[in-house]
Amino acid sequence: MSLHVEGLEKRFGSVVAVRGVDLDVPGGAFFTLLGPSGCGKTTILRSIAGIYTPDRGRVVLDGVDVTRRPIHARNMALVFQNHALFPHMTAFDNVAFGLRMRRVPRAERRTRVEEALALVRLDGLGHRMPAQLSGGQQQRVALARALVVRPSLLLLDEPLSNLDARLRDELRVELRALQRRLGVTTILVTHDIEEAFVLSDRVAVLRAGQIDQVGTPRELYRTPATRFVAGFVGPANEIALTAIKTMRGAAWGTTEAGLQLRLPADAVALAGGAGWLIVRPEHLSVAPGKWPNQLDAVVEDLVFAGAATLCRLRVGDLLLSMQVAGEAADLTVGARVRVGWHDADSVVRRDT
């Protein structure tokens, strides 16, 4: 089922929670609404589900306007952050609840519940009460309860946020594999960048009730549309540029300290103004060869993080972060190093 959201706006009293949101989600896609707390992502999800009625805009499913339809007439299923299982019912009965409300015959109901429990790897555990299940197993029951009704659209409201880190990682992989196998169109709400990137085909980054950018995880990380997106989806060095100019067909920026930095080719369009140069820590390198951007720095701190070492560097009044694979045994705190980056590995954005 494809989803089209057009000009969605929702107010709560004088507060505008969502303003002018447009979304297009093709059938079978895994789409994520990503953003900080209070940005409007859950309000959008609940407007799609029919829990909230928008003040303006439309929700269209497979070409049919369902904006004013009640929840039960939308063929959607919603999985909440807190599982929302009935504590007095077994796992089997929790999963069967939606089918019973739809008056599905008993024999078919049993078959479909057993299939759903097997789908989430809980076959044989249907007799247990929620209190007898682990957090991850409870979340799978909630997922099975949503899938057993065979929804055209699956809505996930931060379903993994209450789990410990290791279990969360495991369930992400399982959830993505399950969604691909079933081909059900899925909308996820999360503030977790890693979760959004691991699970999603496309991601919408929200800020203050509006969408800053929609794209694949790679597009958001490599070519963020705004400074906010750049900083939200991953660690980034942000260097203020007081002036951007072109010389011999290339773009150059001047920092507050007077440093001249080569900018990516598309920054030529920003010549004559100011902006921010954004470069990821993993794109900085020691002894960068013939790259145009090279700076003398002092190593202020080293933090070993397993697969990589995080380095804090000082260049005059400027602080930079560099990520080096492995233990970075050749670097020491206080050492003077020459660092740099390739101009093509950076982006320049206005102050947004």
Side-chain angles (χ1 to χ4, degrees), residues 84-139:
L85 300 179
F86 298 113
H88 62 288
M89 292 184 182
T90 64
F92 184 99
D93 289 336
N94 265 282
V95 176
F97 182 79
L99 297 178
R100 206 163 66 242
M101 293 299 99
R102 290 167 171 78
R103 303 186 190 283
V104 174
R106 183 186 297 268
E108 181 185 349
R109 196 161 69 222
R110 173 167 291 279
T111 299
R112 286 172 61 174
V113 170
E114 289 175 349
E115 289 175 348
L117 287 172
L119 196 63
V120 297
R121 297 195 298 117
L122 288 177
D123 39 328
L125 298 181
H127 63 285
R128 292 192 183 181
M129 306 299 286
Q132 297 173 311
L133 299 171
S134 69
Q137 288 171 331
Q138 290 180 35
Q139 191 59 62

Side-chain angles (χ1 to χ4, degrees), residues 15-350:
V15 177
V16 181
V18 176
R19 62 182 78 214
V21 165
D22 298 321
L23 290 174
D24 279 295
V25 182
F30 200 122
F31 190 94
T32 293
L33 302 172
L34 173 69
S37 298
C39 71
K41 54 189 184 293
T42 295
T43 300
I44 295 172
L45 191 79
R46 293 184 177 186
S47 298
I48 293 170
I51 297 172
Y52 295 155
T53 300
D55 295 305
R56 286 186 179 179
R58 300 193 305 152
V59 177
V60 180
L61 300 175
D62 272 350
V64 178
D65 190 334
V66 300
T67 311
R68 300 290 183 251
R69 281 190 185 180
I71 301 174
H72 65 267
R74 299 192 183 201
N75 193 28
M76 301 178 186
L78 182 58
V79 179
F80 295 96
Q81 177 179 350
N82 62 356
H83 316 321
L85 300 179
F86 298 113
H88 62 288
M89 292 184 182
T90 64
F92 184 99
D93 289 336
N94 265 282
V95 176
F97 182 79
L99 297 178
R100 206 163 66 242
M101 293 299 99
R102 290 167 171 78
R103 303 186 190 283
V104 174
R106 183 186 297 268
E108 181 185 349
R109 196 161 69 222
R110 173 167 291 279
T111 299
R112 286 172 61 174
V113 170
E114 289 175 349
E115 289 175 348
L117 287 172
L119 196 63
V120 297
R121 297 195 298 117
L122 288 177
D123 39 328
L125 298 181
H127 63 285
R128 292 192 183 181
M129 306 299 286
Q132 297 173 311
L133 299 171
S134 69
Q137 288 171 331
Q138 290 180 35
Q139 191 59 62
R140 287 185 196 150
V141 172
L143 186 58
R145 183 176 60 183
L147 294 173
V148 76
V149 298
R150 297 172 183 168
S152 298
L153 190 63
L154 179 62
L155 306 176
L156 306 173
D157 190 1
E158 305 215 38
L160 308 181
S161 60
N162 285 338
L163 305 178
D164 64 68
R166 181 174 179 179
L167 183 56
R168 192 162 60 239
D169 290 344
E170 291 175 358
L171 287 186
R172 283 173 187 165
V173 175
E174 292 182 11
L175 179 57
R176 183 55 174 150
L178 183 61
Q179 190 272 338
R180 284 178 172 168
R181 188 159 72 250
L182 298 177
V184 59
T185 308
T186 302
I187 313 293
L188 169 71
V189 159
T190 185
H191 63 273
D192 188 307
I193 294 90
E194 183 178 353
E195 183 168 290
F197 278 20
V198 167
L199 289 170
S200 311
D201 298 311
R202 293 178 69 77
V203 177
V205 180
L206 287 104
R207 172 173 52 155
Q210 296 178 298
I211 293 176
D212 258 33
Q213 186 176 358
V214 178
T216 65
R218 179 179 177 82
E219 288 168 346
L220 296 176
Y221 192 79
R222 294 284 291 174
T223 55
T226 66
R227 184 181 166 210
F228 170 79
V229 172
F232 190 78
V233 302
N237 293 296
E238 299 179 356
I239 303 173
L241 302 175
T242 57
I244 300 171
K245 59 184 178 181
T246 57
M247 293 189 298
R248 298 183 296 279
W252 291 81
T254 304
T255 71
E256 294 174 341
L259 296 172
Q260 297 292 312
L261 300 174
R262 174 79 171 260
L263 308 181
D266 60 1
V268 169
L270 302 177
W276 290 83
L277 173 66
I278 300 164
V279 58
R280 301 289 181 193
E282 67 269 22
H283 290 143
L284 267 65
S285 176
V286 175
K290 297 182 178 180
W291 290 353
N293 293 323
Q294 299 195 24
L295 305 172
D296 291 318
V298 176
V299 179
E300 285 209 339
D301 194 17
L302 295 169
V303 178
F304 177 65
T309 297
L310 307 179
C311 310
R312 184 179 174 91
L313 307 171
R314 178 171 292 279
V315 181
D317 293 333
L318 188 64
L319 286 174
L320 299 175
S321 295
M322 178 176 66
Q323 180 177 301
V324 180
E327 297 188 25
D330 54 337
L331 293 176
T332 57
V333 173
R336 295 184 177 275
V337 295
R338 193 161 182 79
V339 299
W341 63 90
H342 197 288
D343 50 284
D345 287 327
S346 61
V347 296
V348 176
R349 296 294 180 259
R350 296 294 191 195

